Amino acid sequence: METRELRYFVAVAEEAHVGRAAQRLGMAQPPLSRAIGQLERRLGTALFVRTPRGVTLTSAGETLLHEGRAALAAVEAAERRTRRAVAAGGRAPVVLTAKAGASEELMAKLLDAYAAEPDAVDVEVVLSPPGHQAPMLRDGRADVAILHRPFDDTSGFDADELLVEDQLLILPSGHPASARTSMTVAEAASIPDLPLPRWPHLDGSYPDGPGPELRDLTQVLQLVRLGRAAVVLPEAVRADLRDGLAVVPLSDAPRVTTVIAWPSHSTSSGVAGLVRTAARL
């Protein structure tokens, strides 16, 4: 398959309509329809079910959409990383992405230890909103990432575990619920005057719910201090909490595993050195 064909297919699959996909691609509808038909004939299977209102994916189409997105991301990643290497004269910095406000102490130790290595390269740290780290690693905007299972999708990456920890409910000190010695996740989510925040999807939209719309940890902790919200976070955040906040352990929340992740096909010596340093820590 050609990259062009995959882009055509993904556009039709995401738009669920050949006409809208043609507009998105800046081309006429007939050649797009022909290209999809040729792709189906070469694969020997239908990728779409055609209806008067548009198209829906067959099971084969769903598989190709998942794999096609990954393939296009890999092509993008190859171009981005190559351009970065050219711009840096062959010694490109390693781009490390992490969730803003998370794993600060761990990252500080990692960066300091790696900088002391004789063959260390520059590390560019990119802090991004929750959920953005894995896509950045897949499409080449980052070379290595700090991810958190079970929340981040680490499929297709190599990863080493760095830390496993419990989760806590962070709430205003002095609130009646702060006197609890433990709580379930359901109880934490049902405190009437302390709604849990809503974090954005990758497209910038927010799930429905009563909690405030948030983008970073600093913002949510300020709202918690003001008595407007509570938030569930990994235990490591306890060390960074200031006055005005209390913590209650959650008895049934899944444990959070922090990992350092990188593309399985990576040949970067800088990434390899950073991962080796993380393993020693």
Side-chain angles (χ1 to χ4, degrees):
M1 281 182 288
E2 298 178 3
T3 303
R4 171 183 58 84
E5 292 177 308
L6 280 178
R7 294 191 193 281
Y8 288 176
F9 166 77
V10 170
V12 174
E14 291 180 345
E15 296 294 337
H17 194 280
V18 178
R20 289 196 297 268
Q23 289 182 333
R24 166 174 154 180
L25 293 165
M27 63 186 296
Q29 182 171 336
L32 176 58
S33 296
R34 286 196 296 271
I36 295 298
Q38 290 170 359
L39 180 59
E40 289 178 315
R41 285 191 293 276
R42 189 168 339 122
L43 291 173
T45 186
L47 299 172
F48 296 102
V49 176
R50 278 78 170 173
T51 70
R53 294 185 177 182
V55 297
T56 58
L57 287 167
T58 63
S59 59
E62 289 175 354
T63 298
L64 184 58
L65 179 59
H66 174 77
E67 299 293 343
R69 282 170 170 162
L72 292 175
V75 171
E76 268 190 71
E79 180 179 354
R80 280 195 173 107
R81 292 188 176 111
T82 301
R83 290 184 182 278
R84 205 156 60 230
V86 171
R91 191 171 170 81
V94 171
V95 179
L96 168 66
T97 185
K99 189 186 303 181
S103 307
E104 292 182 20
E105 183 179 355
L106 180 65
M107 285 179 55
K109 289 180 179 178
L110 172 60
L111 294 173
D112 288 346
Y114 177 66
E117 296 292 323
D119 57 349
V121 301
D122 291 338
V123 177
E124 179 184 340
V125 178
V126 178
L127 301 179
S128 48
H132 284 63
Q133 293 73 40
M136 291 177 65
L137 195 54
R138 287 193 172 88
D139 67 18
R141 287 175 290 166
D143 303 305
V144 64
I146 303 297
L147 302 179
H148 304 275
R149 296 172 178 153
F151 309 113
D152 294 315
D153 177 13
T154 59
S155 61
F157 301 141
D158 287 336
D160 283 347
E161 292 187 6
L162 303 180
L163 179 67
V164 180
E165 55 190 323
D166 293 323
Q167 295 192 76
L168 306 168
L169 178 69
I170 315 298
L171 66 168
S173 58
H175 189 279
S178 66
R180 296 277 300 271
T181 56
S182 70
M183 197 178 294
T184 66
V185 172
E187 289 172 329
S190 60
I191 301 175
D193 57 337
L194 295 178
L196 298 181
R198 290 176 291 141
W199 300 97
H201 299 302
L202 290 178
D203 62 4
S205 65
Y206 284 85
D208 294 333
E213 297 179 354
L214 298 173
R215 289 192 175 274
D216 62 66
L217 190 58
T218 302
Q219 185 184 11
V220 67
L221 290 180
Q222 184 174 358
L223 283 176
V224 174
R225 287 192 191 91
L226 292 172
R228 301 302 177 92
V231 65
V232 175
L233 294 172
E235 190 172 16
V237 76
R238 187 196 291 263
D240 300 319
L241 297 181
R242 303 201 308 266
D243 293 342
L245 297 174
V247 300
V248 175
L250 294 174
S251 59
D252 60 347
R255 303 194 83 195
V256 176
T257 302
T258 301
V259 304
I260 184 168
W262 64 98
S264 56
H265 58 270
S266 174
T267 59
S268 165
S269 59
V271 169
L274 192 63
V275 170
R276 283 196 301 270
T277 302
R280 288 198 297 272
L281 292 177

